Amino acid sequence: MLVTYLEASRDLCETDSILFGAALAVCRIIGAKLSTAGRATGQSSAIPAWRIRIEERIAKARAFIGRLICFRSGNTKPRIVRTVRMAFAGTSVSLSQPDIMQKLTERIDDLKQRIAAWGKRIRRYTGRLTRFNQNRLFQSDQKRLYKSLERPMVSGTGPVPNQADTVAFWRSLWSEPVNHNEGPWTEVVASQCVGITPMDPVTITPDDVAEAVRRAPNWKSPGLDGLHHYWLKGFVYTTLEYIAIGIIAIFWHDRGAESVC
């Protein structure tokens, strides 16, 4: 069935869509779980359990600090009093003793130090996890690692030019004939390049595509098409022939060829 659909494909994009549909059909037949987030895949943004636990401790400590400060300011509501008693649970501190204000200040400072320590622990654990992921990614996909280390591009805040202005700008650069005064060095370079043998025409065969697919990792993160290399390896050899035809068409189209035989 796959060969029948591939024979009717008109370009590489349609060939890729057919292969994706075939992979989706196989997954449904074997009962594999499919992501509902669309064809584009991305990394999970789930928060680790250890970070959730530490952040809950920090939130609870901050709530304690707020109510202790309210009690120190003279707020004696039942809810505030209960919280203060919980803060001193397990100690010999009583709310009626004379130095209760000093004890409150010491307890607040202790909670603030714990919050600072928990924050440092989160930063330390996050840094360790980042280094671990970077080392693992360096072993599997160095290109993706270096790309993740690049600084994000800052887009401009000005108005976006419309299509007419963009076309007019580039047309003024590429459509107007310009006479350049190159100088004598161009003649020297041209004379030195006379004896260079021109490069043979590039011919992409199914064997070249098969070799490139064979060397690619099976489950490397796919592009916008969502198709892993595993499916290109698992489908019939004819698939690589149609991929090679599509690549050749794009190759010659970029060079201004009118037709591809």
Side-chain angles (χ1 to χ4, degrees):
M1 292 178 62
L2 188 60
V3 177
T4 304
Y5 285 103
L6 288 174
E7 290 178 351
S9 63
R10 295 168 294 180
D11 51 26
L12 188 59
C13 294
E14 189 170 346
T15 301
D16 179 78
S17 299
I18 295 172
L19 295 177
F20 181 84
L24 183 63
V26 172
C27 291
R28 289 179 176 176
I29 292 173
I30 65 177
K33 295 182 178 180
L34 301 176
S35 175
T36 59
R39 295 180 63 176
T41 59
Q43 293 183 349
S44 175
S45 59
I47 302 176
W50 58 265
R51 181 161 186 164
I52 295 177
R53 290 194 299 267
I54 296 177
E55 289 180 349
E56 288 177 353
R57 296 176 187 174
I58 293 176
K60 186 177 181 181
R62 286 176 176 171
F64 269 125
I65 291 175
R67 296 188 179 183
L68 290 177
I69 293 176
C70 291
F71 182 81
R72 191 175 59 180
S73 301
N75 190 340
T76 57
K77 291 183 178 180
R79 185 181 61 180
I80 302 297
V81 174
R82 286 197 303 269
T83 304
V84 175
R85 289 176 178 173
M86 290 175 58
F88 290 106
T91 63
S92 60
V93 178
S94 175
L95 301 183
S96 60
Q97 62 186 52
D99 58 344
I100 185 61
M101 295 301 173
Q102 180 181 356
K103 297 296 183 181
L104 285 172
T105 303
E106 293 176 357
R107 183 59 175 166
I108 291 173
D109 293 339
D110 178 69
L111 291 175
K112 288 182 178 179
Q113 292 177 7
R114 290 189 179 186
I115 291 175
W118 288 330
K120 291 181 180 179
R121 184 179 299 179
I122 290 178
R123 290 190 294 270
R124 187 173 67 251
Y125 287 176
T126 303
R128 180 183 178 277
L129 182 61
T130 301
R131 292 192 299 271
F132 175 79
N133 291 333
Q134 289 178 350
N135 291 335
R136 185 173 60 180
L137 189 60
F138 180 81
Q139 299 294 332
S140 59
D141 192 350
Q142 298 182 10
K143 180 179 178 180
R144 183 179 172 188
L145 171 64
Y146 295 138
K147 187 176 182 179
S148 65
L149 296 177
E150 295 178 355
R151 295 182 178 180
M153 298 181 62
V154 180
S155 59
T157 57
V160 179
N162 55 29
Q163 183 178 1
D165 295 339
T166 303
V167 172
F169 173 79
W170 288 108
R171 182 172 294 169
S172 63
L173 296 178
W174 295 102
S175 299
E176 299 295 334
V178 179
N179 296 324
H180 297 282
N181 186 11
E182 299 292 351
W185 65 271
T186 57
E187 298 179 359
V188 177
V189 174
S191 62
Q192 293 176 352
C193 296
V194 172
I196 298 178
T197 305
M199 186 180 66
D200 296 333
V202 178
T203 303
I204 302 176
T205 64
D207 293 333
D208 297 331
V209 179
E211 181 64 19
V213 172
R214 186 186 64 82
R215 294 185 178 182
N218 286 342
W219 299 107
K220 184 178 179 181
S221 180
L224 296 178
D225 57 358
L227 192 65
H228 293 274
H229 293 133
Y230 168 83
W231 299 106
L232 300 181
K233 296 180 181 180
F235 287 140
V236 294
Y237 181 78
T238 312
T239 300
L240 303 178
E241 180 180 353
Y242 288 99
I243 294 177
I245 294 174
I247 295 175
I248 294 172
I250 294 176
F251 178 81
W252 286 107
H253 180 270
D254 293 340
R255 282 152 180 77
E258 296 181 356
S259 62
V260 179
C261 295

